[in-house]
């Protein structure tokens, strides 16, 4: 092979390799796809008590028994909520809680020398326990991230002739979306 033939052959090989040696990015194809997301967040409302059993200690005719817990309301309802409290029965009972006496030494009524009541939220002074729901908070916005908190306090006073014993009762707290 002559020098010229060798040179032409070498140039042909180099020219062929030059095309092959070009960066692949010069020839890369590209495609994109968008993925859309959808999520539904349902409305929610929750009311909780830090302690669901509150021991008020001992009451005497000269010493009122007091105690409490913390109530938290969580909601994502943009219109807020109304929260209420009501006594499940009008009196605290001693002994057989299936029988609800109207008076007598086995009950501490909501009103009288012996009495019990509560305060919470907008109810800033002790009120007699009532079986009618009483509003203690009415908001017009979602709750704080940690929830809206309210101190729920109970008090019991007793007359000198109140029968000794352990008295029990309960309240129901309700949060309703506005």
């Amino acid at each position: 092979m002559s020098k010229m033939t060798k040179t032409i052959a070498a140039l042909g090989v180099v020219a062929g390799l030059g095309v092959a040696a070009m960066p692949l990015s010069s020839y890369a194809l590209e495609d994109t796809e968008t993925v859309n997301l959808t999520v539904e967040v349902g409305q929610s409302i929750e009311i909780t008590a830090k302690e669901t059993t509150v021991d008020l200690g001992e009451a005497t005719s000269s010493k009122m028994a007091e105690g409490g817990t913390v109530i938290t309301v969580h909601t994502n309802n943009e219109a807020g909520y109304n929260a209420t409290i009501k006594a499940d029965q009008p009196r605290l009972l001693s002994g057989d809680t299936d029988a609800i006496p109207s008076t007598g030494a086995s009950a501490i009524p909501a009103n009288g020398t012996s009495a019990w009541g509560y305060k919470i939220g907008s109810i800033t002074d002790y009120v007699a326990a009532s079986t009618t729901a009483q509003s203690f908070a009415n908001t017009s916005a979602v709750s704080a991230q940690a929830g809206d908190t309210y101190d729920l306090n109970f008090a019991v006073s007793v007359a000198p002739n109140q029968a000794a014993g352990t008295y029990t009762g309960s309240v129901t707290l309700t949060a309703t979306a506005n």
Side-chain angles (χ1 to χ4, degrees), residues 31-49:
D31 190 18
T32 61
E33 180 70 31
T34 301
V35 176
N36 298 305
L37 303 175
T38 302
V39 63
E40 183 175 330
V41 177
Q43 285 194 358
S44 66
I45 192 162
E46 178 182 61
I47 189 167
T48 58

Side-chain angles (χ1 to χ4, degrees), residues 86-177:
K86 72 176 188 77
D88 292 331
Q89 57 192 13
R91 55 198 56 80
L92 299 180
L93 301 175
S94 176
D96 183 6
T97 57
D98 291 333
I100 302 176
S102 58
T103 59
S106 62
I108 298 176
N111 288 303
T113 305
S114 289
W116 75 288
Y118 39 74
K119 65 180 178 177
I120 181 173
S122 63
I123 304 172
T124 57
D125 294 320
Y126 283 110
V127 297
S130 173
T131 56
T132 301
Q134 299 171 306
S135 179
F136 67 84
N138 195 343
T139 69
S140 59
V142 299
S143 63
Q145 184 173 352
D148 298 335
T149 59
Y150 304 93
D151 291 327
L152 171 57
N153 294 294
F154 298 98
V156 176
S157 65
V158 295
N161 64 342
Q162 185 68 47
T166 300
Y167 292 76
T168 61
S170 59
V171 297
T172 297
L173 301 159
T174 304
T176 306

Side-chain angles (χ1 to χ4, degrees), residues 51 53-56 66-70 151-154:
E51 291 90 22
T53 299
V54 178
D55 184 351
L56 304 179
E66 295 182 274
T69 188
V70 175
D151 291 327
L152 171 57
N153 294 294
F154 298 98

Side-chain angles (χ1 to χ4, degrees), residues 1-15:
M1 206 193 261
S2 71
K3 276 187 162 188
M4 184 57 104
T5 307
K6 286 182 183 178
T7 302
I8 293 174
L11 285 174
V13 169
V14 169

